Amino acid sequence: MSRETVNKSDLVKIISEKCSVSQNQVNNVLTEFCNCCSDSLKSGKSVILVGFGTFTTGERKARVGRNPQNGDVINIPAATVPKFRPGKILKDAVAGEKKKKK
């Protein structure tokens, strides 16, 4: 199954057309939104967009892995990683789209 993707410039164009705002303004707002989310997550805060979803962070433990090219054992350090949990409205919208396509 082939999936199409929407990148940032596509998203900027779509929002610009729907809201009758210049693409430059939408790009600035979208960039700042991403920056604010990153800053909040870095400082240990969650970002909650009711209905859409919640951005949080989680801890990944250190572990031992293997280099897939040569099989060497490597140590993978612990890390703080971003997580996203979709909200009910988003889940329902996506589930509703799948039902329509069948």
Side-chain angles (χ1 to χ4, degrees):
M1 172 206 263
S2 174
R3 289 187 167 218
E4 290 186 39
T5 59
V6 177
N7 61 27
K8 184 178 177 184
S9 61
D10 296 334
L11 193 56
V12 165
K13 185 176 179 182
I14 292 166
I15 294 170
S16 173
E17 290 171 359
K18 288 191 175 209
C19 296
S20 301
V21 178
S22 76
Q23 288 187 24
N24 192 38
Q25 289 173 312
V26 173
N27 185 57
N28 291 341
V29 169
L30 190 54
T31 298
E32 196 54 41
F33 169 77
C34 292
N35 291 339
C36 288
C37 284
S38 296
D39 292 344
S40 294
L41 293 173
K42 282 182 204 174
S43 67
K45 298 176 185 172
S46 296
V47 177
I48 301 171
L49 302 172
V50 177
F52 183 75
T54 303
F55 296 91
T56 59
T57 58
E59 298 299 320
R60 189 175 341 176
K61 294 179 182 178
R63 64 190 193 279
V64 176
R66 292 205 175 267
N67 181 329
Q69 291 179 333
N70 57 24
D72 289 349
V73 174
I74 56 174
N75 291 318
I76 303 169
T80 300
V81 294
K83 293 182 176 186
F84 176 74
R85 190 173 62 241
K88 181 171 177 15
I89 294 171
L90 179 59
K91 285 182 189 178
D92 291 348
V94 172
E97 287 297 317
K98 286 186 177 182
K99 289 178 183 175
K100 289 179 185 176
K101 288 182 181 180
K102 288 184 177 181

